[in-house]
Amino acid sequence: MPRVRTTKSLAKRIDLQYFTRRDAFRRWRLWLSLGIPVVAAGWIIYATGSRNQNLYTKGPLSSAHAVLTTNCNLCHVRAASYRAPVPDKACLSCHDAPPHNPRQTFTPACSSCHVEHMGKARIGETSDSACTQCHSDLKTTDGQHSVDSRVSGFDKKHPEFAVLRADRSDPGTINLNHYLHLQPTVRGPRGAVQLVCEDCHRPTNAQDAWPYSVAVVQPASQQPIVVGVADSQQQKRRSVKAGAGAYMASIRYVNQCAACHVLQFDRIIPEPAPHDKPEIVHAFIVKQYTDYIATHPDARRLPVLAIDDGMPPGLTQSILRPTGNESVTLASSPSDWVQQRTAEAERLLWNKNCKICHISTEHPGSGLPESVKAVIPGRWLPRAEFDHAAHLMLTCEACHASIRNSRKTSDTNLPSIGLCRQCHKQAGASKLAAEGRCFECHSYHDWRKERRVNGIMDITQP
Amino acid sequence: MIIDRSHRGWFIASLILLAVGGLLYVPYAFLSTAGVGGGSVPGIIYGSVGSAMMIFAGLLGARKKYRTWRLGRATWWMRGHLWLGFLSFPFILFHAGFRLGNGPLTRVLMALFLVVFISGIVGAVLQHFMPKMMTERVSMETVFDQIDSVLDQLVTEAAQIISDIAAAVEHQIEREEAAEELLPASGRARKAGVVTAPDERVSGQITSFFQSQMKPYLLSRHTRKYFLGNPIQASTAIQQLKVLVPQSLWAKFDDLENICEEKRELERQRKLHKILHGWLLIHIPASYALIFLGVVHAVLALRY
């Protein structure tokens, strides 16, 4: 009889108790289901036993804090409850964080802007939303705003630089015509020169000598003592955090102007007048003439040259040459000679040399002029950081394009924000652009008020 | 379980949940001052929702184990397992800010999560065509756990058939020898050149075939090295043995061929069964580990 397979015959083969035993598949499933979680639990227990808290970290710390990776308790301070968040005081135990603005309505927690455990990213690279949470609709404690109240991003929602707005201009009081100074026919100490930007404008950390400084025309021993605002004070007006080369060195007569704008007042006195307050200049001139007449008593017989007011203001030397228009006056005594000579010299200086650059008025009492305080801004964007050193690959005129045609002091020859946007974008490197987030130019903390923080960590000596 | 029209309600609900989660994620991602992350309030909410979905999916095993529980039908739980398990993936991604984990524990968690999710997808896809394939390719399916037992019975059956064939051949030989002795000398001479009956070697060949080929084949799980796994080669070999025996015994060889075919079917069933269910060996243990480590992660993350 042929072998026939039916469901009944097949069913008869089945052991009716088969379901009470696990087959290999089900055994494997059971052991794996127990074994893998046990391995996972063993891993956790081992890490806990070896106090390896790094197991639970959200991610690696930033480069600056990487040394603290195995010391979670330095930042994660255990509160009374189970939780161990990072309070602000943990950050402040190592870092000072000067407040942003006394009129801000709330102070965000350190960790809300400076997010850790994100790997090697700089912890100072805060997201724009940390700033725009306030500045997109700015509110202050007194309701007053000194900045635009709706700033929500650099690409589109950032106002033009304040100094370039319609109602602003260069506040400088020194007459300066860039157009003239950049002509090839400008007369220098040894003939015509072609000035370039670097002749007058250099970063603060530049070491090489100024090409048109007082040293060109005057021996070091005779150079005037510099008086005025010290560099350190100027630095304080700028950002304390600015790196070397960020800003340009101050414009000072002795560095940038002295070689061409020589304050020589009399051909018989080789030393030029100091670039200083009128009373000091007056005292200098009087002393020079007094010393001269003491050593040259016959000079009293020399005529005192009177300056023809009709002559155009020009270089001092041409004025000092006799032209035939002078009236000749002989002094009756040495002091009279000094007085006459001083008057003429000061007339030359106050009415010609100084007036080329300075705005001045006559003081009613002393008869000496009073110059309007020279204001040459050293930092044009007081609420932002700008680093010239980071932009060294550009030519000066790439940004300061209007300089060659600038004839007036009031011209503000700064680039507009649109020019900056050509390179700087909010998305930064991800859009193959320079960084454009808020932190690139602005600092939340007012570092001028930074205070020293004493460290709290100790190192076990080997 | 096949995803068909009966899943429509779950599909729509999942779609709505996903849309809501995604729409809420967008402003959260753009406006967050500290960036998206699991430690933020929205991040914790996303993580909690995703974890709840995973735990619900994990409870399917308990529901299937305790069938008398009156907590909804098993099919309802199965649908929930599929859809909420699927939905947990985007919610966990929202929770993690689309990062795959930066710390050791979070990396392992994300790796386990991907293993569970992908194995689950594979399993769900297999469920849609493997059962039909098994029905088509395995005509006489048996209980998977009993395949080895059935194969033992097949070996016993085949041994019996071989024994019957051998006995029949021996009997035939004896009869031929007895008949030959009764023939006159001239008749024996005429018969000498004609082979009309099996001799002793045939029985040995058949027995040797069974011992060296058929029995190992029936008992082996790696059948590729045996020619009996190929139906054409098996048929050819058995035909070669068939012609050595009287026609009355040919039906027995047909039975042997039938047994080899049944073996092939059983192996086919075993292979398809492993494909259909093998992913569970990864999916289930990984999901237990995922839930355990997920609890550890939640407790410690909330602490820090």
Side-chain angles (χ1 to χ4, degrees), chain A residues 3 5 13 83-84 127 129, chain B residues 32 157 258 262 302-303:
Chain A
R3 183 175 179 271
R5 288 187 297 162
R13 300 182 195 174
R83 298 200 66 227
S127 79
S129 53
Chain B
S32 170
E157 188 180 340
N258 197 273
E262 191 168 344
L302 285 172
R303 175 178 181 180

Side-chain angles (χ1 to χ4, degrees), chain B residues 24 75 82 111 124 128 133 157 174 243 256 261 273 289:
Chain B
L24 290 174
T75 51
L82 285 173
H128 282 74
M133 189 188 290
E157 188 180 340
E174 286 169 3
V243 298
L256 288 178
E261 174 58 26
H273 182 92

Side-chain angles (χ1 to χ4, degrees), chain B residues 164-166 168-169 172 242 245-254:
Chain B
D164 290 348
I165 292 173
V169 166
Q172 183 78 5
K242 228 185 197 181
V245 299
Q247 196 172 348
S248 59
L249 295 174
W250 285 6
K252 298 280 185 190
F253 283 93
D254 291 339

